[in-house]
Every structure is written in structure tokens, then in C-alpha cells.
Amino acid sequence: MNILKCRTNHMVNPLGFAMEKAVVSWVADSEVSKKQVCAQIKVAKDKEMQELLYVSVYLEDDEAYDMMEIWNGPMRGTNVRGITKWTFLLSQGRQIPAVGGSDYHKPKQFAKLGNPVTAVYSKSRSADDILDAIRNGNCFVSDSKDGVKIKLLYGDAVMGQTAEYKENEWLEIFADTKKVTLVTDKGEKELTLKDGHLKVRLKKVKFAYIKVHKGFGKLKRVCAISNPIYFK
């Protein structure tokens, strides 16, 4: 395998930069019809890779990331598949924060700056608090800054947190819309809110999140989606 276009935090040979966390990306050449199943990062002082400075553990492909961008740009097939993949991983017991972004670089058909956005419940507007909230999954994705806003509560637990399941506890849903879809590892159920609020009893599930749709028929599409509350 030939590794090409290797970058660290989107830079080639970033010498002299202090990085609290490094993200390495690359392109693999000469490998046809093969799927990556794991990865390991080695950092060396010399080109011959003899004087190693850092060696990561082997990471399985589905473990090699801290969060998942399930929604990129206008809602379309790739995003629907991303949401489906993420939901499958949640059903397997993974706890992966979901994010979205417009990935806007220049004007083009359908693409808009801030479509979608990741809205964060942060302690403050500081970068550290915002990033901590995203890492913890205390956020949701909406199709614009003026889109549907979502909040979930289960006792004291909020989106991204793990709660102890209790038969008599309510899942509280807050959203400035009339209808939402509740998603768990048991399936999906459409719910109707009253004045932007609804309390729901859950059966024993691994996770619960909601998504909101707009449009009808072939034009029906997701316009907002929350991170889950997990259950033990």
C-alpha cells in the first residue's frame, strides 16, 4: 500500500506547531477493492522509521473516531445513509456523538452556509466549553440557525449522557414543532407534541433520540435530529 497526501491537522509536515490533539489523514493508492479494517499510527524522527516517537494502538475501523458527521450539506441520500449507519452503531452499544455542518466553500446549487448547523448546549461561549459539549453529545443538528430546536431530558440526564432506566421515569421532549419521530433500538414511532412539549414512557431500550421531518411524500426529509440519551 502506498500512502499519499499525508496531512496532520490538514497541513503537510507541520513543523513547529503545538498541537493538543493531532488528526492524521491520508490517501491510499494501489489497493483495489479492499476494505480497511483497522489502522495504526506511527511517528518517527527519521525517514527510515527506526527512531519511533509515538505508536498508537490498533483501532478497528468503527472505533477510529470520536464523533460522526451524519449530516453534511443539503439533506440527501448520503446523509440518510449516514444517519442509518449511526443508528446501527448505537444499536450495537456504541456511544458516538453526532454532528453536522454545511461544508460550505463557494456558492453552488442547493448548498448554503449554515445548512445544517450543530447547535450546542454549552456552559459558556468559550472554545473549550463548546468542544466539551460536542464531545459529550450535548448538542443537536438542525437545517439552519433558525431551524427546529431540540432538548431531551430523562430525570437529570440530557442528550449525550447515560441514565439508569426506570419504569416510572419520563422521557421529556422539547421541540418547537408539532410532530417528531422517536428513534430507539426497538424502532421508530411518530409522536405529537403539545405546545412544544411531550412526556413519554419508554420500555427498556439502549438509547433514544428524536428526529424531525418537513415536507410530504417524496419531498419529506429530515430537518433536525438530536443526540441520544443512553440507558443502562
Side-chain angles (χ1 to χ4, degrees):
M1 178 187 293
N2 295 322
I3 301 297
L4 307 173
K5 299 181 180 179
C6 188
R7 289 179 168 84
T8 305
N9 290 14
H10 306 290
M11 295 181 287
V12 178
N13 295 329
L15 301 178
F17 288 87
M19 298 179 180
E20 182 178 345
K21 184 176 182 180
V23 178
V24 181
S25 62
W26 63 87
V27 174
D29 190 20
S30 74
E31 295 295 330
V32 180
S33 300
K34 292 185 178 180
K35 179 182 177 181
Q36 176 180 306
V37 295
C38 63
Q40 185 183 44
I41 304 297
K42 294 182 179 180
V43 180
K45 194 173 183 179
D46 59 308
K47 291 184 178 180
E48 291 73 27
M49 302 295 291
Q50 297 298 313
E51 193 173 347
L52 295 177
L53 302 175
Y54 170 79
V55 180
S56 76
V57 297
Y58 276 103
L59 295 173
E60 297 297 326
D61 191 40
D62 281 340
E63 298 176 345
Y65 43 80
D66 298 317
M67 61 190 66
M68 187 170 176
E69 185 181 39
I70 61 172
W71 186 348
N72 178 282
M75 180 53 63
R76 57 198 189 279
T78 54
N79 293 323
V80 173
R81 292 190 292 274
I83 293 170
T84 300
K85 171 70 172 180
W86 173 63
T87 305
F88 170 77
L89 292 175
L90 297 179
S91 71
Q92 299 299 299
R94 295 291 306 279
Q95 296 188 3
I96 308 172
V99 295
S102 59
D103 198 15
Y104 183 86
H105 297 276
K106 60 182 180 180
K108 57 182 178 180
Q109 190 176 21
F110 303 119
K112 297 179 180 179
L113 180 63
N115 174 26
V117 297
T118 299
V120 182
Y121 287 103
S122 174
K123 294 179 181 178
S124 75
R125 294 187 178 184
S126 73
D128 287 343
D129 283 344
I130 291 173
L131 291 174
D132 282 344
I134 294 173
R135 291 189 192 100
N136 294 330
N138 196 4
C139 54
F140 63 92
V141 184
S142 193
D143 60 1
S144 77
K145 65 180 181 63
D146 299 316
V148 175
K149 298 174 178 59
I150 301 172
K151 183 177 180 180
L152 295 182
L153 292 175
Y154 188 85
D156 294 329
V158 297
M159 288 183 292
Q161 295 183 338
T162 300
E164 183 176 351
Y165 173 77
K166 297 178 182 179
E167 289 187 0
N168 297 322
E169 188 64 83
W170 295 99
L171 173 68
E172 292 194 72
I173 301 170
F174 300 85
D176 49 353
T177 186
K178 291 183 178 180
K179 292 186 179 294
V180 301
T181 300
L182 174 67
V183 184
T184 72
D185 53 297
K186 305 297 184 183
E188 299 187 1
K189 183 178 181 180
E190 189 171 280
L191 304 172
T192 301
L193 280 63
K194 183 177 180 180
D195 297 326
H197 178 239
L198 181 66
K199 297 170 73 173
V200 181
R201 296 277 195 204
L202 294 174
K203 295 182 179 180
K204 184 65 183 293
V205 294
K206 294 179 180 178
F207 66 88
Y209 74 80
I210 66 168
K211 56 185 177 180
V212 183
H213 296 87
K214 65 169 54 172
F216 300 93
K218 293 183 179 180
L219 297 178
K220 186 177 180 180
R221 65 189 187 279
V222 174
C223 65
I225 186 167
S226 77
N227 267 284
I229 291 178
Y230 306 96
F231 298 94
K232 60 180 180 180

